[in-house]
Amino acid sequence: MNRAAEQPEPNPLREGLSARAVPQPCTIVIFGATGDLTQRKLIPALYNLAADGDLPPAVAIVGFARREKSDDEFRTELEEATRKFSRQAVRDEIWKTFAQSIFYHQSEFEDEAGYKTLAKRLDEIDEECGTRGNRLFYFAAAPDQFEPILKHLKAAGLNETCKGSWARVIVEKPFGTDLASARELNRIVRHSFSEEQTYRIDHFLGKETAQNILVLRFANAIFAPLWNTHYIDHVQITAAETLGVETRAGYYERAGALRDMVQNHLLQLLCLIAMEPPIDLSADSIRDEKVKVVRSLRRFAQSEIAANVVRGQYAQGAIDGKPVAGYRKEPKVKSDSQTETFVALRLYIDDWRWADVPIYMRVGKRLPKSATEISIHFKKAPAVLFNKNLSDQNVLVIRIQPDEGISLRIHAKVPGTSFRVEPVKMDFHYGTSFGKASPEAYERLLLDAMSGDATLFARRDEVEEAWAFIDVIESAWSAKKDAPGLFPYPAGSWGPDEADDLLARDGRAWRRL
Ligand code: BG6
């Protein structure tokens, strides 16, 4: 592999964490091009980049899938989807030019010949479009297809770089289903692409406010002295969704909320909150610090799981006043399904900074509201002067979505002749402060992969450490004897009562969202 080609070119104009890299001309090959992800996220993200003038000067997109269709049919399908799912309204003249760079390649994933013709087609596209032999392979297919795709890419020589060009692979989640399968997948990927060529996507890392966590922590001097066990009482992380399982039961029945959201998105957010300052902003310096957090998570013994992890499953209830079915009545879900749609956990990071600070996390489907936020609850002021009767603490809230922003709860005197003290909020909203909408996570991440910047992608060791932590919980849940219960909760509620008890036992409560 040509390592020189992997060095990002400097671009002082790019905003964000990685102000170093500039996206390079390339062809993006999407495996699983007729699937949901391509239509809802990938093509709309690429269109928005094109509309904002952020794409490199030459980009081509090749959809690789089984069904027969022409380039034009594929373009029409994608146009419909983009009109439906795009962040910005589709402008005809921009779509017209953008669509010219979209192509369709029909092949079975297991068919060697299909990759040989792909290689030929990519060479032609390089000639036609000026994409310079750079290739970004996006794995949006089902995970059991990854192995044949990788094998055939290698056999066709498409994993190699030559004449200063590069080849990279973006792998979608789920990245394995446990530690053993993640290791196996890593091994298979490694066989064809080096770690530097591999980009494991976790779209939460591309969310604007998630990226802002490091800026908040390391560009502001006031928080650093307080960011530790001496001043922080506890941390809460909530990722709530009103949506149910929708049409994804085939995947979700085998995954459940712990694998679907905690192993990746929630642990990644926790890493950004808890990591030590990196020595610089390079991908590896940041990921070196993040992986230490996962490694420092206190590992539960199987007998401790019930006291620290609560799992729930939504039953029939109502969302926004409309009745909705319980999980077991959803299409393709087993009538006695044991899959959790809600998890609440109490974790500890056993390092110097976080010793004995509880971290409470909860994630669930069919909750009353869609919102993701992190709250840092500071210790109470001494119970003298104004604070004798105050039960509230100072709380720093990082709203990941919606209404991205940051707020700080402080105490203030209520105007008037008496000395009444009440909590008030200092509030920063991205939308109003910067007057422009945040890009979608996939926009940022695709651009970073085109730039060779892996900062916002999960490294091999991060993924494996996270699975090692999750595996203990999964195996306690699947034990034949004394497995912790699966508690039902009505759709539209904040999960089972047992999740509230988890905090109540420590004299705390979940923040109201
Ligand atoms: C995905 C999960 O990774 O993230 C879904 O598989 C979940 O179950 C989704 O709904 C949430 O992402 P977002 O960006 O909509 O909050």
Side-chain angles (χ1 to χ4, degrees), residues 41 172-173 203-204 207 240-241 243-244 248 251-252 260-261 264-265 365 372 401 441-442:
K41 298 285 183 192
E172 259 296 334
K173 70 180 270 266
H203 79 280
F204 267 50
K207 292 183 191 276
E241 291 180 276
L243 285 182
R248 299 168 69 221
Y251 151 74
Y252 200 84
D260 183 46
M261 293 286 289
N264 35 66
H265 308 325
K365 293 205 181 282
T372 301
Q401 60 187 21
Y442 277 93

mmCIF file with all atom_site columns, all heavy atoms in Angstrom, residues 41 172-173 203-204 207 240-241 243-244 248 251-252 260-261 264-265 365 372 401 441-442, ligand 1:
data_model
loop_
_atom_site.group_PDB
_atom_site.id
_atom_site.type_symbol
_atom_site.label_atom_id
_atom_site.label_alt_id
_atom_site.label_comp_id
_atom_site.label_asym_id
_atom_site.label_entity_id
_atom_site.label_seq_id
_atom_site.pdbx_PDB_ins_code
_atom_site.Cartn_x
_atom_site.Cartn_y
_atom_site.Cartn_z
_atom_site.occupancy
_atom_site.B_iso_or_equiv
_atom_site.pdbx_formal_charge
_atom_site.auth_seq_id
_atom_site.auth_comp_id
_atom_site.auth_asym_id
_atom_site.auth_atom_id
_atom_site.pdbx_PDB_model_num
ATOM   1   N N   . LYS A 1 41  ? -30.021 7.996  3.842  1.00 0.00 ? 41  LYS A N   1
ATOM   2   C CA  . LYS A 1 41  ? -28.902 8.744  4.419  1.00 0.00 ? 41  LYS A CA  1
ATOM   3   C C   . LYS A 1 41  ? -27.782 9.074  3.431  1.00 0.00 ? 41  LYS A C   1
ATOM   4   O O   . LYS A 1 41  ? -27.355 10.216 3.344  1.00 0.00 ? 41  LYS A O   1
ATOM   5   C CB  . LYS A 1 41  ? -28.278 7.932  5.591  1.00 0.00 ? 41  LYS A CB  1
ATOM   6   C CG  . LYS A 1 41  ? -29.229 7.676  6.738  1.00 0.00 ? 41  LYS A CG  1
ATOM   7   C CD  . LYS A 1 41  ? -29.430 8.926  7.573  1.00 0.00 ? 41  LYS A CD  1
ATOM   8   C CE  . LYS A 1 41  ? -30.309 8.668  8.771  1.00 0.00 ? 41  LYS A CE  1
ATOM   9   N NZ  . LYS A 1 41  ? -30.738 9.903  9.423  1.00 0.00 ? 41  LYS A NZ  1
ATOM   10  N N   . GLU A 1 172 ? -20.255 -0.318 7.939  1.00 0.00 ? 172 GLU A N   1
ATOM   11  C CA  . GLU A 1 172 ? -21.412 0.109  8.743  1.00 0.00 ? 172 GLU A CA  1
ATOM   12  C C   . GLU A 1 172 ? -21.578 -0.816 9.929  1.00 0.00 ? 172 GLU A C   1
ATOM   13  O O   . GLU A 1 172 ? -21.152 -1.959 9.907  1.00 0.00 ? 172 GLU A O   1
ATOM   14  C CB  . GLU A 1 172 ? -22.681 0.019  7.885  1.00 0.00 ? 172 GLU A CB  1
ATOM   15  C CG  . GLU A 1 172 ? -23.163 1.330  7.325  1.00 0.00 ? 172 GLU A CG  1
ATOM   16  C CD  . GLU A 1 172 ? -23.613 2.345  8.375  1.00 0.00 ? 172 GLU A CD  1
ATOM   17  O OE1 . GLU A 1 172 ? -24.028 1.942  9.490  1.00 0.00 ? 172 GLU A OE1 1
ATOM   18  O OE2 . GLU A 1 172 ? -23.563 3.549  8.084  1.00 0.00 ? 172 GLU A OE2 1
ATOM   19  N N   . LYS A 1 173 ? -22.257 -0.350 10.953 1.00 0.00 ? 173 LYS A N   1
ATOM   20  C CA  . LYS A 1 173 ? -22.625 -1.217 12.044 1.00 0.00 ? 173 LYS A CA  1
ATOM   21  C C   . LYS A 1 173 ? -23.736 -2.160 11.605 1.00 0.00 ? 173 LYS A C   1
ATOM   22  O O   . LYS A 1 173 ? -24.403 -1.836 10.632 1.00 0.00 ? 173 LYS A O   1
ATOM   23  C CB  . LYS A 1 173 ? -23.021 -0.400 13.257 1.00 0.00 ? 173 LYS A CB  1
ATOM   24  C CG  . LYS A 1 173 ? -24.368 0.346  13.085 1.00 0.00 ? 173 LYS A CG  1
ATOM   25  C CD  . LYS A 1 173 ? -24.690 1.116  14.316 1.00 0.00 ? 173 LYS A CD  1
ATOM   26  C CE  . LYS A 1 173 ? -25.490 0.297  15.290 1.00 0.00 ? 173 LYS A CE  1
ATOM   27  N NZ  . LYS A 1 173 ? -26.928 0.478  15.167 1.00 0.00 ? 173 LYS A NZ  1
ATOM   28  N N   . HIS A 1 203 ? -22.386 6.753  13.480 1.00 0.00 ? 203 HIS A N   1
ATOM   29  C CA  . HIS A 1 203 ? -22.873 8.056  13.002 1.00 0.00 ? 203 HIS A CA  1
ATOM   30  C C   . HIS A 1 203 ? -23.064 9.066  14.139 1.00 0.00 ? 203 HIS A C   1
ATOM   31  O O   . HIS A 1 203 ? -23.109 10.260 13.898 1.00 0.00 ? 203 HIS A O   1
ATOM   32  C CB  . HIS A 1 203 ? -24.119 7.899  12.131 1.00 0.00 ? 203 HIS A CB  1
ATOM   33  C CG  . HIS A 1 203 ? -25.386 7.677  12.891 1.00 0.00 ? 203 HIS A CG  1
ATOM   34  N ND1 . HIS A 1 203 ? -25.738 6.457  13.387 1.00 0.00 ? 203 HIS A ND1 1
ATOM   35  C CD2 . HIS A 1 203 ? -26.382 8.524  13.247 1.00 0.00 ? 203 HIS A CD2 1
ATOM   36  C CE1 . HIS A 1 203 ? -26.901 6.562  14.001 1.00 0.00 ? 203 HIS A CE1 1
ATOM   37  N NE2 . HIS A 1 203 ? -27.322 7.813  13.936 1.00 0.00 ? 203 HIS A NE2 1
ATOM   38  N N   . PHE A 1 204 ? -23.138 8.598  15.404 1.00 0.00 ? 204 PHE A N   1
ATOM   39  C CA  . PHE A 1 204 ? -23.259 9.557  16.504 1.00 0.00 ? 204 PHE A CA  1
ATOM   40  C C   . PHE A 1 204 ? -22.027 10.469 16.583 1.00 0.00 ? 204 PHE A C   1
ATOM   41  O O   . PHE A 1 204 ? -22.130 11.605 17.007 1.00 0.00 ? 204 PHE A O   1
ATOM   42  C CB  . PHE A 1 204 ? -23.463 8.832  17.843 1.00 0.00 ? 204 PHE A CB  1
ATOM   43  C CG  . PHE A 1 204 ? -24.927 8.674  18.194 1.00 0.00 ? 204 PHE A CG  1
ATOM   44  C CD1 . PHE A 1 204 ? -25.820 8.155  17.268 1.00 0.00 ? 204 PHE A CD1 1
ATOM   45  C CD2 . PHE A 1 204 ? -25.415 9.047  19.435 1.00 0.00 ? 204 PHE A CD2 1
ATOM   46  C CE1 . PHE A 1 204 ? -27.164 8.021  17.575 1.00 0.00 ? 204 PHE A CE1 1
ATOM   47  C CE2 . PHE A 1 204 ? -26.758 8.924  19.746 1.00 0.00 ? 204 PHE A CE2 1
ATOM   48  C CZ  . PHE A 1 204 ? -27.634 8.400  18.812 1.00 0.00 ? 204 PHE A CZ  1
ATOM   49  N N   . LYS A 1 207 ? -22.358 13.674 14.639 1.00 0.00 ? 207 LYS A N   1
ATOM   50  C CA  . LYS A 1 207 ? -23.343 14.696 15.044 1.00 0.00 ? 207 LYS A CA  1
ATOM   51  C C   . LYS A 1 207 ? -22.600 15.920 15.572 1.00 0.00 ? 207 LYS A C   1
ATOM   52  O O   . LYS A 1 207 ? -21.622 15.781 16.320 1.00 0.00 ? 207 LYS A O   1
ATOM   53  C CB  . LYS A 1 207 ? -24.298 14.131 16.109 1.00 0.00 ? 207 LYS A CB  1
ATOM   54  C CG  . LYS A 1 207 ? -25.226 13.050 15.559 1.00 0.00 ? 207 LYS A CG  1
ATOM   55  C CD  . LYS A 1 207 ? -26.193 12.559 16.602 1.00 0.00 ? 207 LYS A CD  1
ATOM   56  C CE  . LYS A 1 207 ? -26.931 11.315 16.139 1.00 0.00 ? 207 LYS A CE  1
ATOM   57  N NZ  . LYS A 1 207 ? -28.089 11.562 15.323 1.00 0.00 ? 207 LYS A NZ  1
ATOM   58  N N   . ALA A 1 240 ? -33.293 8.775  23.776 1.00 0.00 ? 240 ALA A N   1
ATOM   59  C CA  . ALA A 1 240 ? -34.696 8.341  23.765 1.00 0.00 ? 240 ALA A CA  1
ATOM   60  C C   . ALA A 1 240 ? -35.272 8.502  22.371 1.00 0.00 ? 240 ALA A C   1
ATOM   61  O O   . ALA A 1 240 ? -34.968 9.473  21.677 1.00 0.00 ? 240 ALA A O   1
ATOM   62  C CB  . ALA A 1 240 ? -35.496 9.198  24.740 1.00 0.00 ? 240 ALA A CB  1
ATOM   63  N N   . GLU A 1 241 ? -36.090 7.548  21.977 1.00 0.00 ? 241 GLU A N   1
ATOM   64  C CA  . GLU A 1 241 ? -36.751 7.625  20.659 1.00 0.00 ? 241 GLU A CA  1
ATOM   65  C C   . GLU A 1 241 ? -38.236 7.337  20.822 1.00 0.00 ? 241 GLU A C   1
ATOM   66  O O   . GLU A 1 241 ? -38.602 6.447  21.596 1.00 0.00 ? 241 GLU A O   1
ATOM   67  C CB  . GLU A 1 241 ? -36.190 6.551  19.730 1.00 0.00 ? 241 GLU A CB  1
ATOM   68  C CG  . GLU A 1 241 ? -34.773 6.756  19.286 1.00 0.00 ? 241 GLU A CG  1
ATOM   69  C CD  . GLU A 1 241 ? -34.346 5.628  18.366 1.00 0.00 ? 241 GLU A CD  1
ATOM   70  O OE1 . GLU A 1 241 ? -33.931 4.574  18.872 1.00 0.00 ? 241 GLU A OE1 1
ATOM   71  O OE2 . GLU A 1 241 ? -34.445 5.798  17.148 1.00 0.00 ? 241 GLU A OE2 1
ATOM   72  N N   . LEU A 1 243 ? -39.931 6.406  18.135 1.00 0.00 ? 243 LEU A N   1
ATOM   73  C CA  . LEU A 1 243 ? -40.136 5.351  17.141 1.00 0.00 ? 243 LEU A CA  1
ATOM   74  C C   . LEU A 1 243 ? -40.071 3.971  17.778 1.00 0.00 ? 243 LEU A C   1
ATOM   75  O O   . LEU A 1 243 ? -39.348 3.764  18.751 1.00 0.00 ? 243 LEU A O   1
ATOM   76  C CB  . LEU A 1 243 ? -39.029 5.406  16.084 1.00 0.00 ? 243 LEU A CB  1
ATOM   77  C CG  . LEU A 1 243 ? -39.089 6.506  15.037 1.00 0.00 ? 243 LEU A CG  1
ATOM   78  C CD1 . LEU A 1 243 ? -37.920 6.346  14.071 1.00 0.00 ? 243 LEU A CD1 1
ATOM   79  C CD2 . LEU A 1 243 ? -40.412 6.456  14.282 1.00 0.00 ? 243 LEU A CD2 1
ATOM   80  N N   . GLY A 1 244 ? -40.782 3.048  17.186 1.00 0.00 ? 244 GLY A N   1
ATOM   81  C CA  . GLY A 1 244 ? -40.665 1.655  17.602 1.00 0.00 ? 244 GLY A CA  1
ATOM   82  C C   . GLY A 1 244 ? -39.654 0.958  16.706 1.00 0.00 ? 244 GLY A C   1
ATOM   83  O O   . GLY A 1 244 ? -38.779 1.610  16.123 1.00 0.00 ? 244 GLY A O   1
ATOM   84  N N   . ARG A 1 248 ? -37.628 -3.067 11.026 1.00 0.00 ? 248 ARG A N   1
ATOM   85  C CA  . ARG A 1 248 ? -36.277 -3.639 11.192 1.00 0.00 ? 248 ARG A CA  1
ATOM   86  C C   . ARG A 1 248 ? -36.228 -4.832 12.131 1.00 0.00 ? 248 ARG A C   1
ATOM   87  O O   . ARG A 1 248 ? -35.158 -5.172 12.647 1.00 0.00 ? 248 ARG A O   1
ATOM   88  C CB  . ARG A 1 248 ? -35.327 -2.552 11.688 1.00 0.00 ? 248 ARG A CB  1
ATOM   89  C CG  . ARG A 1 248 ? -35.191 -1.393 10.723 1.00 0.00 ? 248 ARG A CG  1
ATOM   90  C CD  . ARG A 1 248 ? -34.489 -0.251 11.390 1.00 0.00 ? 248 ARG A CD  1
ATOM   91  N NE  . ARG A 1 248 ? -33.091 -0.522 11.671 1.00 0.00 ? 248 ARG A NE  1
ATOM   92  C CZ  . ARG A 1 248 ? -32.486 -0.169 12.814 1.00 0.00 ? 248 ARG A CZ  1
ATOM   93  N NH1 . ARG A 1 248 ? -33.156 0.426  13.765 1.00 0.00 ? 248 ARG A NH1 1
ATOM   94  N NH2 . ARG A 1 248 ? -31.212 -0.428 12.985 1.00 0.00 ? 248 ARG A NH2 1
ATOM   95  N N   . TYR A 1 251 ? -33.448 -7.572 11.969 1.00 0.00 ? 251 TYR A N   1
ATOM   96  C CA  . TYR A 1 251 ? -32.161 -7.244 12.592 1.00 0.00 ? 251 TYR A CA  1
ATOM   97  C C   . TYR A 1 251 ? -32.319 -7.076 14.108 1.00 0.00 ? 251 TYR A C   1
ATOM   98  O O   . TYR A 1 251 ? -31.568 -7.629 14.903 1.00 0.00 ? 251 TYR A O   1
ATOM   99  C CB  . TYR A 1 251 ? -31.614 -5.966 11.955 1.00 0.00 ? 251 TYR A CB  1
ATOM   100 C CG  . TYR A 1 251 ? -30.730 -5.140 12.871 1.00 0.00 ? 251 TYR A CG  1
ATOM   101 C CD1 . TYR A 1 251 ? -29.431 -5.557 13.178 1.00 0.00 ? 251 TYR A CD1 1
ATOM   102 C CD2 . TYR A 1 251 ? -31.202 -3.964 13.444 1.00 0.00 ? 251 TYR A CD2 1
ATOM   103 C CE1 . TYR A 1 251 ? -28.636 -4.803 14.037 1.00 0.00 ? 251 TYR A CE1 1
ATOM   104 C CE2 . TYR A 1 251 ? -30.406 -3.209 14.293 1.00 0.00 ? 251 TYR A CE2 1
ATOM   105 C CZ  . TYR A 1 251 ? -29.126 -3.636 14.589 1.00 0.00 ? 251 TYR A CZ  1
ATOM   106 O OH  . TYR A 1 251 ? -28.348 -2.906 15.436 1.00 0.00 ? 251 TYR A OH  1
ATOM   107 N N   . TYR A 1 252 ? -33.355 -6.327 14.506 1.00 0.00 ? 252 TYR A N   1
ATOM   108 C CA  . TYR A 1 252 ? -33.458 -5.891 15.903 1.00 0.00 ? 252 TYR A CA  1
ATOM   109 C C   . TYR A 1 252 ? -33.725 -7.056 16.859 1.00 0.00 ? 252 TYR A C   1
ATOM   110 O O   . TYR A 1 252 ? -33.224 -7.072 17.981 1.00 0.00 ? 252 TYR A O   1
ATOM   111 C CB  . TYR A 1 252 ? -34.570 -4.842 16.026 1.00 0.00 ? 252 TYR A CB  1
ATOM   112 C CG  . TYR A 1 252 ? -34.428 -4.002 17.272 1.00 0.00 ? 252 TYR A CG  1
ATOM   113 C CD1 . TYR A 1 252 ? -33.595 -2.895 17.300 1.00 0.00 ? 252 TYR A CD1 1
ATOM   114 C CD2 . TYR A 1 252 ? -35.123 -4.324 18.433 1.00 0.00 ? 252 TYR A CD2 1
ATOM   115 C CE1 . TYR A 1 252 ? -33.451 -2.124 18.445 1.00 0.00 ? 252 TYR A CE1 1
ATOM   116 C CE2 . TYR A 1 252 ? -34.990 -3.566 19.583 1.00 0.00 ? 252 TYR A CE2 1
ATOM   117 C CZ  . TYR A 1 252 ? -34.156 -2.468 19.575 1.00 0.00 ? 252 TYR A CZ  1
ATOM   118 O OH  . TYR A 1 252 ? -34.009 -1.711 20.721 1.00 0.00 ? 252 TYR A OH  1
ATOM   119 N N   . ASP A 1 260 ? -27.560 -2.617 19.853 1.00 0.00 ? 260 ASP A N   1
ATOM   120 C CA  . ASP A 1 260 ? -27.899 -1.644 18.805 1.00 0.00 ? 260 ASP A CA  1
ATOM   121 C C   . ASP A 1 260 ? -27.400 -0.242 19.151 1.00 0.00 ? 260 ASP A C   1
ATOM   122 O O   . ASP A 1 260 ? -26.958 0.487  18.270 1.00 0.00 ? 260 ASP A O   1
ATOM   123 C CB  . ASP A 1 260 ? -29.431 -1.624 18.627 1.00 0.00 ? 260 ASP A CB  1
ATOM   124 C CG  . ASP A 1 260 ? -29.883 -0.709 17.504 1.00 0.00 ? 260 ASP A CG  1
ATOM   125 O OD1 . ASP A 1 260 ? -29.279 -0.781 16.416 1.00 0.00 ? 260 ASP A OD1 1
ATOM   126 O OD2 . ASP A 1 260 ? -30.830 0.081  17.700 1.00 0.00 ? 260 ASP A OD2 1
ATOM   127 N N   . MET A 1 261 ? -27.460 0.145  20.413 1.00 0.00 ? 261 MET A N   1
ATOM   128 C CA  . MET A 1 261 ? -27.176 1.541  20.774 1.00 0.00 ? 261 MET A CA  1
ATOM   129 C C   . MET A 1 261 ? -26.076 1.709  21.826 1.00 0.00 ? 261 MET A C   1
ATOM   130 O O   . MET A 1 261 ? -25.318 2.670  21.776 1.00 0.00 ? 261 MET A O   1
ATOM   131 C CB  . MET A 1 261 ? -28.455 2.197  21.333 1.00 0.00 ? 261 MET A CB  1
ATOM   132 C CG  . MET A 1 261 ? -29.577 2.376  20.358 1.00 0.00 ? 261 MET A CG  1
ATOM   133 S SD  . MET A 1 261 ? -29.316 3.709  19.157 1.00 0.00 ? 261 MET A SD  1
ATOM   134 C CE  . MET A 1 261 ? -29.485 5.173  20.162 1.00 0.00 ? 261 MET A CE  1
ATOM   135 N N   . ASN A 1 264 ? -22.114 0.880  20.890 1.00 0.00 ? 264 ASN A N   1
ATOM   136 C CA  . ASN A 1 264 ? -21.467 1.816  19.975 1.00 0.00 ? 264 ASN A CA  1
ATOM   137 C C   . ASN A 1 264 ? -21.759 3.260  20.383 1.00 0.00 ? 264 ASN A C   1
ATOM   138 O O   . ASN A 1 264 ? -20.925 3.926  20.995 1.00 0.00 ? 264 ASN A O   1
ATOM   139 C CB  . ASN A 1 264 ? -21.924 1.527  18.546 1.00 0.00 ? 264 ASN A CB  1
ATOM   140 C CG  . ASN A 1 264 ? -23.396 1.071  18.539 1.00 0.00 ? 264 ASN A CG  1
ATOM   141 O OD1 . ASN A 1 264 ? -24.287 1.833  18.863 1.00 0.00 ? 264 ASN A OD1 1
ATOM   142 N ND2 . ASN A 1 264 ? -23.619 -0.187 18.205 1.00 0.00 ? 264 ASN A ND2 1
ATOM   143 N N   . HIS A 1 265 ? -22.978 3.749  20.068 1.00 0.00 ? 265 HIS A N   1
ATOM   144 C CA  . HIS A 1 265 ? -23.269 5.180  20.207 1.00 0.00 ? 265 HIS A CA  1
ATOM   145 C C   . HIS A 1 265 ? -23.078 5.699  21.640 1.00 0.00 ? 265 HIS A C   1
ATOM   146 O O   . HIS A 1 265 ? -22.430 6.708  21.867 1.00 0.00 ? 265 HIS A O   1
ATOM   147 C CB  . HIS A 1 265 ? -24.696 5.490  19.761 1.00 0.00 ? 265 HIS A CB  1
ATOM   148 C CG  . HIS A 1 265 ? -25.039 4.979  18.394 1.00 0.00 ? 265 HIS A CG  1
ATOM   149 N ND1 . HIS A 1 265 ? -24.133 4.947  17.366 1.00 0.00 ? 265 HIS A ND1 1
ATOM   150 C CD2 . HIS A 1 265 ? -26.191 4.473  17.879 1.00 0.00 ? 265 HIS A CD2 1
ATOM   151 C CE1 . HIS A 1 265 ? -24.723 4.459  16.277 1.00 0.00 ? 265 HIS A CE1 1
ATOM   152 N NE2 . HIS A 1 265 ? -25.958 4.153  16.578 1.00 0.00 ? 265 HIS A NE2 1
ATOM   153 N N   . LYS A 1 365 ? -36.675 2.627  22.914 1.00 0.00 ? 365 LYS A N   1
ATOM   154 C CA  . LYS A 1 365 ? -37.618 2.925  21.834 1.00 0.00 ? 365 LYS A CA  1
ATOM   155 C C   . LYS A 1 365 ? -39.013 3.088  22.452 1.00 0.00 ? 365 LYS A C   1
ATOM   156 O O   . LYS A 1 365 ? -39.285 2.576  23.528 1.00 0.00 ? 365 LYS A O   1
ATOM   157 C CB  . LYS A 1 365 ? -37.633 1.788  20.818 1.00 0.00 ? 365 LYS A CB  1
ATOM   158 C CG  . LYS A 1 365 ? -36.291 1.675  20.073 1.00 0.00 ? 365 LYS A CG  1
ATOM   159 C CD  . LYS A 1 365 ? -36.441 1.033  18.721 1.00 0.00 ? 365 LYS A CD  1
ATOM   160 C CE  . LYS A 1 365 ? -35.110 0.894  17.997 1.00 0.00 ? 365 LYS A CE  1
ATOM   161 N NZ  . LYS A 1 365 ? -34.634 2.146  17.383 1.00 0.00 ? 365 LYS A NZ  1
ATOM   162 N N   . THR A 1 372 ? -31.658 13.132 22.636 1.00 0.00 ? 372 THR A N   1
ATOM   163 C CA  . THR A 1 372 ? -30.409 12.568 23.144 1.00 0.00 ? 372 THR A CA  1
ATOM   164 C C   . THR A 1 372 ? -29.680 13.666 23.885 1.00 0.00 ? 372 THR A C   1
ATOM   165 O O   . THR A 1 372 ? -29.471 14.756 23.326 1.00 0.00 ? 372 THR A O   1
ATOM   166 C CB  . THR A 1 372 ? -29.533 12.056 21.977 1.00 0.00 ? 372 THR A CB  1
ATOM   167 O OG1 . THR A 1 372 ? -30.276 11.075 21.261 1.00 0.00 ? 372 THR A OG1 1
ATOM   168 C CG2 . THR A 1 372 ? -28.250 11.422 22.471 1.00 0.00 ? 372 THR A CG2 1
ATOM   169 N N   . GLN A 1 401 ? -29.331 16.116 20.354 1.00 0.00 ? 401 GLN A N   1
ATOM   170 C CA  . GLN A 1 401 ? -30.420 16.330 19.410 1.00 0.00 ? 401 GLN A CA  1
ATOM   171 C C   . GLN A 1 401 ? -31.755 16.232 20.121 1.00 0.00 ? 401 GLN A C   1
ATOM   172 O O   . GLN A 1 401 ? -31.818 15.536 21.141 1.00 0.00 ? 401 GLN A O   1
ATOM   173 C CB  . GLN A 1 401 ? -30.371 15.300 18.270 1.00 0.00 ? 401 GLN A CB  1
ATOM   174 C CG  . GLN A 1 401 ? -30.489 13.867 18.787 1.00 0.00 ? 401 GLN A CG  1
ATOM   175 C CD  . GLN A 1 401 ? -30.281 12.809 17.743 1.00 0.00 ? 401 GLN A CD  1
ATOM   176 O OE1 . GLN A 1 401 ? -29.696 13.042 16.720 1.00 0.00 ? 401 GLN A OE1 1
ATOM   177 N NE2 . GLN A 1 401 ? -30.768 11.620 17.997 1.00 0.00 ? 401 GLN A NE2 1
ATOM   178 N N   . ALA A 1 441 ? -25.008 13.999 10.188 1.00 0.00 ? 441 ALA A N   1
ATOM   179 C CA  . ALA A 1 441 ? -23.806 13.256 10.589 1.00 0.00 ? 441 ALA A CA  1
ATOM   180 C C   . ALA A 1 441 ? -23.125 12.588 9.387  1.00 0.00 ? 441 ALA A C   1
ATOM   181 O O   . ALA A 1 441 ? -21.902 12.613 9.250  1.00 0.00 ? 441 ALA A O   1
ATOM   182 C CB  . ALA A 1 441 ? -24.177 12.203 11.627 1.00 0.00 ? 441 ALA A CB  1
ATOM   183 N N   . TYR A 1 442 ? -23.933 12.021 8.472  1.00 0.00 ? 442 TYR A N   1
ATOM   184 C CA  . TYR A 1 442 ? -23.327 11.296 7.347  1.00 0.00 ? 442 TYR A CA  1
ATOM   185 C C   . TYR A 1 442 ? -22.587 12.232 6.390  1.00 0.00 ? 442 TYR A C   1
ATOM   186 O O   . TYR A 1 442 ? -21.674 11.821 5.701  1.00 0.00 ? 442 TYR A O   1
ATOM   187 C CB  . TYR A 1 442 ? -24.385 10.478 6.594  1.00 0.00 ? 442 TYR A CB  1
ATOM   188 C CG  . TYR A 1 442 ? -24.649 9.154  7.270  1.00 0.00 ? 442 TYR A CG  1
ATOM   189 C CD1 . TYR A 1 442 ? -25.666 9.003  8.199  1.00 0.00 ? 442 TYR A CD1 1
ATOM   190 C CD2 . TYR A 1 442 ? -23.853 8.045  6.998  1.00 0.00 ? 442 TYR A CD2 1
ATOM   191 C CE1 . TYR A 1 442 ? -25.901 7.792  8.833  1.00 0.00 ? 442 TYR A CE1 1
ATOM   192 C CE2 . TYR A 1 442 ? -24.070 6.829  7.617  1.00 0.00 ? 442 TYR A CE2 1
ATOM   193 C CZ  . TYR A 1 442 ? -25.096 6.710  8.542  1.00 0.00 ? 442 TYR A CZ  1
ATOM   194 O OH  . TYR A 1 442 ? -25.301 5.515  9.162  1.00 0.00 ? 442 TYR A OH  1
HETATM 195 C C1  . BG6 B 2 .   ? -29.080 3.440  14.755 1.00 0.00 ? 1   BG6 B C1  1
HETATM 196 C C2  . BG6 B 2 .   ? -29.877 2.359  15.420 1.00 0.00 ? 1   BG6 B C2  1
HETATM 197 O O1  . BG6 B 2 .   ? -27.713 3.151  14.804 1.00 0.00 ? 1   BG6 B O1  1
HETATM 198 O O2  . BG6 B 2 .   ? -29.323 4.673  15.419 1.00 0.00 ? 1   BG6 B O2  1
HETATM 199 C C3  . BG6 B 2 .   ? -31.354 2.687  15.415 1.00 0.00 ? 1   BG6 B C3  1
HETATM 200 O O3  . BG6 B 2 .   ? -29.669 1.131  14.730 1.00 0.00 ? 1   BG6 B O3  1
HETATM 201 C C4  . BG6 B 2 .   ? -31.598 4.049  16.010 1.00 0.00 ? 1   BG6 B C4  1
HETATM 202 O O4  . BG6 B 2 .   ? -32.099 1.700  16.124 1.00 0.00 ? 1   BG6 B O4  1
HETATM 203 C C5  . BG6 B 2 .   ? -30.684 5.084  15.370 1.00 0.00 ? 1   BG6 B C5  1
HETATM 204 O O5  . BG6 B 2 .   ? -32.950 4.383  15.772 1.00 0.00 ? 1   BG6 B O5  1
HETATM 205 C C6  . BG6 B 2 .   ? -30.789 6.417  16.078 1.00 0.00 ? 1   BG6 B C6  1
HETATM 206 O O6  . BG6 B 2 .   ? -30.048 7.357  15.352 1.00 0.00 ? 1   BG6 B O6  1
HETATM 207 P P1  . BG6 B 2 .   ? -30.505 8.861  15.245 1.00 0.00 ? 1   BG6 B P1  1
HETATM 208 O O7  . BG6 B 2 .   ? -29.421 9.544  14.519 1.00 0.00 ? 1   BG6 B O7  1
HETATM 209 O O8  . BG6 B 2 .   ? -31.815 8.852  14.542 1.00 0.00 ? 1   BG6 B O8  1
HETATM 210 O O9  . BG6 B 2 .   ? -30.652 9.313  16.670 1.00 0.00 ? 1   BG6 B O9  1
#
